[in-house]
Amino acid sequence: MADLVVVIVNYNVRDLLRECLRSLQGARADLIVVDNCSRDGSADMVSREFPEVRLIVSPSNDGFAAANNRGIRAAGSPRYVMLLNPD
């Protein structure tokens, strides 16, 4: 486990998410994307283009705070957690 886990909440911003994840490639951090029930193919894009990213697909959009909390719980116990918006 890396010292840093980056949690990104996504909702229907596939192209911005792609650029965000590209900018983080090579970072010494674990990446978690929480997809908040997007309908734009975001989750499929992450699975296909960024297999190293841990993807959590929410069955419903429970809001931004709940999605961040879901990602933080999934992070385990890293030294640092960074909450990052895809835009």
Side-chain angles (χ1 to χ4, degrees), residues 21-76:
L21 292 173
R22 282 182 183 158
S23 75
L24 292 169
Q25 286 182 319
R28 296 191 327 196
D30 290 338
L31 306 177
I32 297 174
V33 169
V34 181
D35 186 76
N36 228 359
C37 200
S38 295
R39 297 177 309 272
D40 67 350
S42 293
D44 291 336
M45 180 276 297
V46 172
S47 294
R48 187 176 54 255
E49 296 180 27
F50 303 94
E52 71 280 6
V53 172
R54 197 170 354 160
L55 175 63
I56 299 169
V57 179
S58 297
S60 61
N61 185 339
D62 297 325
F64 182 70
N68 273 311
N69 288 333
R70 189 172 286 124
I72 291 167
R73 280 192 302 274

Side-chain angles (χ1 to χ4, degrees), residues 73-87:
R73 280 192 302 274
S77 300
R79 187 168 183 178
Y80 303 102
V81 174
M82 177 181 174
L83 304 177
L84 181 65
N85 292 333
D87 60 349

Side-chain angles (χ1 to χ4, degrees), residues 2 14 17 65 67 84:
R14 179 190 59 225
L17 177 62
L84 181 65

